[in-house]
Amino acid sequence: MRNKEFDSEAALKDALATFWQHGFERTNMPELLDSMGVGRASFYNAFGSKREVFLQILDLYFEMVRSHLCGLIADANDSRHAVALLVDGILNVAKSPEANATGWRGCLIGNTALELGANDPEIVSRLKKGVDILRALFRKAIALPSTSGVQRSQLDIDQAALQLVASVQGLLVLAKSGLSDADIKSARTAILATIT
Amino acid sequence: MRNKEFDSEAALKDALATFWQHGFERTNMPELLDSMGVGRASFYNAFGSKREVFLQILDLYFEMVRSHLCGLIADANDSRHAVALLVDGILNVAKSPEANATGWRGCLIGNTALELGANDPEIVSRLKKGVDILRALFRKAIALPSTSGVQRSQLDIDQAALQLVASVQGLLVLAKSGLSDADIKSARTAILATIT
């Protein structure tokens, strides 16, 4: 089709950045089109709606996060180190100089859950996939050998992974509520201390 | 003033329920006026703007949560029991049958942090107060005598309180991402197990 001359992959990446920074509702159409560098007609032709783009950028985000974090722990060979790499990896991804109120844009999974997760079943079913990706990454990290020689059952691994995902998401909530850097650092230390 | 004939306290409570369920951006003016049962002229006369009402309902929420949770632990005399009362108190407040995608409307502090905390310094400075209220409640609970005889330093109490607030907020993020009831229950158990 002639009017798909723009690079739709690049346009989606730009849309991801915009939605991540401002959320679904606060991103209006002119802003979205502007950030994607596409005209209105091309946009509707290629994507159909703002919501459809949002669903696509959620998938793009999940894949980006999965591949980035997976790479971070690819060479790790002990559980505690791998968990620290994941926690710091998520925190780093969640920082943004453009988030001028706190310096944190957060994780798009958490942001979307708290913006839309009360009333939007289709979004929730997408978000489950994102949470499952994070849980699987932490399970993989925790299942690595422990330098302190701890043996973990599959149940222990599952529970610790869930707990770590919750703690990191919770820390991002507090970071976006204006938690001080010192408190963020201390909370990070406490999270890592749960894995021996 | 003649046009303040409506009960502005009751109207604010209704506004709180609406903003809590739908978030700041998704609540449009007709919906807000309708839920508050006030006309446009009375609304602008009494409150000035949607944003001004939102700031007021944040304060109302903080006070409501503080007073409710404070009451829950008023008679508690051991730390573990008091922490369980607070965790369950927050989870109960965050449930809502009207949140039809997940059954969870979440905590308004966390919801607002993730919706607006990247770009809105005025909101962030309000949210800090809300987080401080939660931290103070958990400090109070953890400082109670421990049935297992553990003695905690002030630093330990502060860190555990911060960790508990983060864990509960994180659990609400996952609840609004569609976490199963079984996983929510297991995460709750793990949170409580951090306090001996």
Side-chain angles (χ1 to χ4, degrees):
Chain A
M1 280 170 44
R2 277 277 168 222
N3 44 16
K4 272 201 180 179
E5 79 277 11
F6 64 89
D7 177 348
S8 76
E9 203 177 321
L12 277 178
K13 279 186 185 165
D14 293 332
L16 167 58
T18 304
F19 278 125
W20 194 353
Q21 192 76 29
H22 300 290
F24 179 75
E25 283 296 330
R26 273 179 107 80
T27 300
N28 58 36
M29 276 306 297
E31 210 172 6
L32 182 61
L33 293 175
D34 190 50
S35 74
M36 295 173 79
V38 299
R40 193 167 282 266
S42 306
F43 175 90
Y44 284 108
N45 226 330
F47 302 108
S49 69
K50 174 181 162 188
R51 184 181 174 89
E52 186 49 46
V53 172
F54 190 73
L55 293 173
Q56 288 194 35
I57 66 102
L58 274 183
D59 289 339
L60 181 62
Y61 180 79
F62 299 159
E63 181 46 33
M64 187 196 86
V65 164
R66 195 202 57 72
S67 131
H68 173 62
L69 295 177
C70 207
L72 288 182
I73 59 167
D75 298 328
N77 47 24
D78 91 271
S79 52
R80 195 167 183 179
H81 179 56
V83 166
L85 289 171
L86 289 182
V87 169
D88 290 340
I90 296 171
L91 293 180
N92 285 332
V93 161
K95 278 181 195 158
S96 165
E98 284 165 55
N100 53 23
T102 50
W104 295 88
R105 60 183 164 181
C107 165
L108 188 64
I109 299 171
N111 294 355
T112 305
L114 294 206
E115 186 184 358
L116 307 174
N119 309 305
D120 195 324
E122 190 185 16
I123 294 283
V124 170
S125 75
R126 276 295 215 294
L127 291 175
K128 277 186 195 170
K129 288 187 210 165
V131 170
D132 283 346
I133 288 169
L134 296 179
R135 290 173 74 176
L137 283 159
F138 275 104
R139 275 199 299 269
K140 190 175 168 187
I142 301 163
L144 289 171
S146 156
T147 47
S148 62
V150 177
Q151 298 285 328
R152 291 185 181 87
S153 68
Q154 193 55 50
L155 183 67
D156 287 346
I157 292 171
D158 289 348
Q159 287 186 337
L162 177 59
Q163 213 47 34
L164 285 164
V165 174
S167 296
V168 176
Q169 290 293 338
L171 184 52
L172 291 176
V173 169
L174 300 189
K176 288 185 82 176
S177 309
L179 198 70
S180 72
D181 287 348
D183 280 341
I184 290 171
K185 200 173 161 190
S186 140
R188 172 197 171 275
T189 306
I191 290 171
L192 298 185
T194 61
I195 299 297
T196 45
Chain B
M1 279 168 49
R2 277 279 168 219
N3 45 14
K4 271 200 176 178
E5 78 278 9
F6 63 89
D7 177 349
S8 75
E9 203 179 319
L12 277 177
K13 280 187 185 165
D14 293 333
L16 167 57
T18 305
F19 278 125
W20 193 354
Q21 192 76 30
H22 300 289
F24 179 74
E25 284 296 330
R26 273 178 107 79
T27 300
N28 58 36
M29 277 305 297
E31 211 171 4
L32 182 61
L33 294 176
D34 191 48
S35 74
M36 296 172 79
V38 299
R40 192 167 283 267
S42 307
F43 176 89
Y44 285 108
N45 227 329
F47 302 109
S49 68
K50 173 181 163 187
R51 183 182 175 88
E52 186 50 45
V53 173
F54 190 72
L55 293 173
Q56 289 193 35
I57 64 102
L58 275 183
D59 290 338
L60 180 64
Y61 180 79
F62 299 160
E63 182 46 33
M64 187 196 85
V65 164
R66 194 202 57 72
S67 130
H68 174 63
L69 296 178
C70 207
L72 287 182
I73 59 167
D75 298 327
N77 47 24
D78 92 90
S79 52
R80 195 165 183 183
H81 178 55
V83 166
L85 288 171
L86 289 181
V87 169
D88 290 340
I90 296 170
L91 294 180
N92 284 333
V93 161
K95 279 182 194 157
S96 166
E98 284 164 55
N100 53 24
T102 51
W104 295 88
R105 59 182 164 182
C107 167
L108 188 64
I109 300 171
N111 293 356
T112 305
L114 295 205
E115 186 184 357
L116 306 174
N119 308 305
D120 194 323
E122 190 184 17
I123 294 283
V124 170
S125 74
R126 273 299 212 296
L127 292 175
K128 277 185 194 168
K129 288 186 210 165
V131 170
D132 283 345
I133 288 169
L134 296 179
R135 290 173 74 176
L137 284 159
F138 275 105
R139 276 199 299 270
K140 190 175 168 188
I142 301 164
L144 289 171
S146 155
T147 47
S148 61
V150 177
Q151 297 285 327
R152 292 184 180 91
S153 69
Q154 194 55 51
L155 184 67
D156 286 347
I157 292 171
D158 289 349
Q159 287 187 336
L162 177 59
Q163 212 49 33
L164 284 164
V165 174
S167 296
V168 175
Q169 290 293 338
L171 184 51
L172 292 177
V173 170
L174 301 189
K176 288 184 82 175
S177 308
L179 198 70
S180 71
D181 287 347
D183 280 340
I184 289 171
K185 200 174 161 189
S186 140
R188 172 197 170 276
T189 305
I191 290 172
L192 298 185
T194 61
I195 300 296
T196 46

